[in-house]
Amino acid sequence: MNQTNSHLKKLTVLAMMIALDVVLTPVFRIEGMAPMSSVVNIIAAAVMGPAYSVFMALVTAIIRMTAQGIPPLALTGAVFGAFFAGLFYQLGRRYYLSALGEMLGTGIIGSLLSYPVMVWFTGTKTGLFWFIYTPRFIGATLIGTVIALPILNLLDKQEFFKRVQRLFFSKKEAL
């Protein structure tokens, strides 16, 4: 398989993951929580690794912020979660590690960084404190984990899914 074909396949998977994230995130939304974003981050991390997952989360957040009027919380939560989910999965190749990375990245780091971002965005500190987003972000990642892990276990039984993973995680090209 030539390099151009492989690159095109990776971009196609990336585009599909972005589309899934944009469409699914508002479907199952609890005020202040986006558990489907965590679901897609965990799955994307196990499929594409950290670099593509971060790009997916960044593009999705920008689309959601502009098209759906979502505040910058879409950036602070999703991007850090995608990075750590992808990194943890890449290091240990276990789905639960992807979920742990999402919990650390979104639930802890993303929630804490959301405070200064929202102070800047709103121009006020009224009603905001450092841990204001942490319970919601952790809750969203827990719900997302409960949904994502069984899906990944089902996908793992599919040969096509394994070939897509190999496309991103091995030197040998698949598909």
Side-chain angles (χ1 to χ4, degrees), residues 42-132:
I42 292 166
I43 293 171
V47 172
M48 303 185 301
Y52 282 90
S53 295
V54 167
F55 188 75
M56 176 209 68
L58 179 65
V59 171
T60 299
I62 291 169
I63 291 170
R64 291 180 62 222
M65 287 174 10
T66 56
Q68 300 169 346
I70 304 294
L73 297 175
L75 274 173
T76 54
V79 171
F80 292 101
F83 173 72
F84 283 103
L87 180 65
F88 283 22
Y89 181 79
Q90 189 174 34
L91 293 174
R93 302 289 165 96
R94 299 282 185 257
Y95 298 137
Y96 75 88
L97 292 174
S98 179
L100 287 175
E102 171 69 12
M103 287 180 206
L104 172 68
T106 295
I108 306 297
I109 296 169
S111 71
L112 293 176
L113 290 175
S114 292
Y115 168 77
V117 168
M118 288 306 287
V119 166
W120 169 79
F121 182 71
T122 63
T124 181
K125 291 183 182 180
T126 306
L128 296 177
F129 55 95
W130 277 98
F131 295 102
I132 191 165

Side-chain angles (χ1 to χ4, degrees), residues 9 53 67 89 130 147 149 159 166:
K9 288 178 181 182
S53 295
Y89 181 79
W130 277 98
I147 297 169
L149 289 180
E159 184 56 37
R166 285 192 299 269

